[in-house]
Amino acid sequence: MSTVVCPVDEAHALHLDAVDPLPARRADFHVPPTTAGGYAEVAYLAGNSLGLQPRATRAALEQELADWARLGVEGHLEAGRPWKPYHELLRDPAARLVGALPAETVVMNSLTVDLHLMMTSFYRPTPERYAIVVEDSTFPSDSYAVQSQARLHGLDPAEAVVRLRPRPGEDCLRTEDVLGFLRREGHRVALVLFGGVNYLTGELMDVPAITAAGRAAGAVVGWDLAHAVGNVPLRLHEWGVDWAAWCHYKYVNGGPGAVAGCFVHERHIADRTLPKLQGWWSTDPATRFAMGPDVAPVDTADSWQLSNPPILAMAPVLVSLRMFDEVGMEALRDRSVRLTGYLADLLATACADVSARVITPADPRRRGCQLSVRITRTPAEEVCARLRHEHGVIADARPPDVVRFAPVPLYCTHHDAWRAATALAAVLSSGPLSSGSGETHDA
């Protein structure tokens, strides 16, 4: 830890909450209960894995269930929010959240399905240009996906997939090293696919710089924004990103396994030469129910859709997207910088004498709200179990040695951050776990 000294008293945390210019909307969410540490609610710092449930979600789902009960099949056209065009309700708020044009945005499927659909169109290897560049610590599902795409094209993943590693002794990739690789080796790169925020380290990648370098090298540049959407401001259209995909169940609080989203830049959406997997919802909605045998293409991201929208999965996402519209991503980012900076200072002070080290970049411009702490001497799963059972703090373990804390600005408070830092210091300063089990969550 660094030598930063921060007041570690509870009163200071409560004061910061009282004077914050954008208070948390904690009352708008269901916060899990606890009895640990004398608290009624947990300090929930695992929104990087699964966001909390907005209180408005239940009513939205109940409306769809009531319309289904009342109308049956007629709900496709007569429900309060008709089901046939339901995905269109999510288009504009999703586009605003990622900095896209509405025509470039579609909410559909799950994240890895969308990654495969995008790579079907945009990974077109040749004998000279075939490499897929990822960060070495990319999320395993992305690693599996790019390896399988290489195999589909008859390539050896060990040769086709290039994994960029941090410098020896460092935890995060340097932007200049990524740009240097693309200048030197870009002639053989077909696709660059990084996570906007790395799931393990919490590093916010320089999306505009890497996108520009990749495209200048002649590659297609895509982004997995699972840990970036709802966490940091994005301007995908302005930055010239070729395509991106993301989920809505982390920072966007759309529920476990929530339907995902896709972006395709407008320069591609009218390109009829791009190969695509297609289905019923890929065709022009004006003639969809004519039931013809051939697709009538549309020049929007909708043309990458396959199936009719899952209404009960989309309703929670719609609720959450509207909440982001109400608050604004820029205001949330400002609050996130304050809140995450406070937690970083607390960790540096409270844990100065224990075996813990923050591996997330210290520069707020190079991180979102996640702070990853590398623990020595005690397994990360054991630490997270003790945080929950002894202190009522829910964090997230990435075995073997990383504990992730995400003070999500929508619902976390400075007091939550104080509870997390002081609990971690207490756990690491005490003896080994005597009961309970380790816990991990989704990425």
Side-chain angles (χ1 to χ4, degrees):
M1 295 289 181
S2 72
T3 57
V4 172
V5 177
C6 173
V8 295
D9 56 293
E10 184 176 16
H12 183 65
L14 294 171
H15 169 73
L16 291 176
D17 284 327
V19 301
D20 195 278
L22 183 68
R25 293 185 56 162
R26 188 183 186 92
D28 293 332
F29 291 85
H30 289 285
V31 182
T34 187
T35 58
Y39 295 101
E41 295 178 335
V42 301
Y44 191 82
L45 284 88
N48 55 317
S49 284
L50 178 65
L52 292 180
Q53 180 189 136
R55 292 185 181 274
T57 298
R58 182 179 296 273
L61 283 170
E62 287 178 346
Q63 177 181 336
E64 305 307 337
L65 291 171
D67 284 344
W68 181 18
R70 179 174 59 91
L71 295 167
V73 70
E74 303 300 338
H76 284 92
L77 299 177
E78 298 179 17
R81 292 185 289 259
W83 304 331
K84 178 185 173 185
Y86 198 98
H87 77 278
E88 296 174 9
L89 298 174
L90 289 77
R91 187 197 319 278
D92 285 9
R96 286 189 287 271
L97 191 59
V98 300
L101 303 178
E104 298 171 320
T105 312
V106 59
V107 174
M108 63 181 189
N109 306 315
S110 58
L111 172 55
T112 307
V113 171
D114 287 347
L115 289 174
H116 277 299
L117 290 175
M118 292 296 101
M119 285 190 280
T120 296
S121 294
F122 293 106
Y123 177 53
R124 312 303 301 166
T126 67
E128 297 78 25
R129 188 182 289 274
Y130 57 87
I132 306 174
V133 180
V134 299
E135 70 266 45
D136 189 46
S137 59
T138 191
F139 184 63
S141 183
D142 290 29
S143 186
Y144 307 157
V146 296
Q147 290 178 50
S148 66
Q149 285 285 331
R151 292 189 189 96
L152 282 173
H153 288 277
L155 301 173
D156 180 356
E159 297 180 0
V161 179
V162 177
R163 310 180 74 93
L164 297 189
R165 295 176 173 85
R167 297 182 185 185
E170 298 184 358
D171 298 293
C172 297
L173 274 173
R174 296 192 186 191
T175 299
E176 60 264 34
D177 291 347
V178 177
L179 303 187
F181 174 85
L182 291 172
R183 284 193 297 269
R184 296 188 308 273
E185 303 292 339
H187 60 278
R188 63 186 180 96
V189 176
L191 174 66
V192 178
L193 178 57
F194 285 147
V197 173
N198 183 269
Y199 89 100
L200 180 65
T201 67
E203 178 187 12
L204 170 59
M205 305 299 291
D206 191 336
V207 178
I210 293 171
T211 297
R215 296 194 63 235
V220 172
V221 183
W223 290 90
D224 177 345
L225 300 174
H227 287 262
V229 168
N231 182 7
V232 295
L234 298 166
R235 299 179 180 86
L236 300 185
H237 176 82
E238 176 186 327
W239 294 338
V241 169
D242 287 300
W243 62 267
W246 61 90
C247 59
H248 287 113
Y249 56 81
K250 300 178 189 297
Y251 295 102
V252 188
N253 314 305
V259 65
C262 261
F263 162 88
V264 180
H265 199 279
E266 67 173 346
R267 64 177 169 271
H268 299 303
I269 57 180
D271 185 352
R272 301 291 175 82
T273 68
L274 284 173
K276 298 176 185 176
L277 296 177
Q278 295 176 317
W280 193 21
W281 241 246
S282 309
T283 196
D284 188 339
T287 58
R288 180 173 294 140
F289 287 88
M291 313 302 275
D294 299 314
V295 168
V298 291
D299 294 334
T300 71
D302 280 9
S303 64
W304 275 267
Q305 289 186 110
L306 300 179
S307 301
N308 51 320
I311 304 305
L312 298 182
M314 284 188 163
V317 177
L318 180 60
V319 167
S320 298
L321 289 173
R322 287 174 172 172
M323 190 175 293
F324 278 88
D325 270 346
E326 292 167 5
V327 180
M329 197 60 229
E330 294 295 336
L332 279 173
R333 174 60 172 168
D334 289 343
R335 174 173 165 77
S336 178
V337 169
R338 293 192 297 274
L339 191 57
T340 306
Y342 174 64
L343 176 59
D345 290 346
L346 281 174
L347 290 170
T349 303
C351 301
D353 298 325
V354 296
S355 302
R357 178 174 63 87
V358 175
I359 62 174
T360 308
D363 185 349
R365 295 170 297 181
R366 294 187 58 213
R367 68 188 185 204
C369 75
Q370 174 187 321
L371 293 178
S372 296
V373 182
R374 176 154 284 140
I375 308 294
T376 60
R377 299 206 304 259
T378 307
E381 292 171 290
E382 180 177 311
V383 171
C384 283
R386 293 189 64 178
L387 288 173
R388 178 184 178 188
H389 297 300
E390 298 174 12
H391 299 275
V393 173
I394 295 184
D396 178 83
R398 290 294 102 190
D401 60 357
V402 173
V403 175
R404 305 183 302 175
F405 296 95
V408 176
L410 261 180
Y411 50 74
C412 286
T413 65
H414 291 82
H415 190 250
D416 289 332
W418 175 83
R419 285 175 61 186
T422 55
L424 180 63
V427 167
L428 295 181
S429 299
S430 61
L433 181 66
S434 58
S435 62
S437 61
E439 299 175 7
T440 60
H441 308 291
D442 197 355

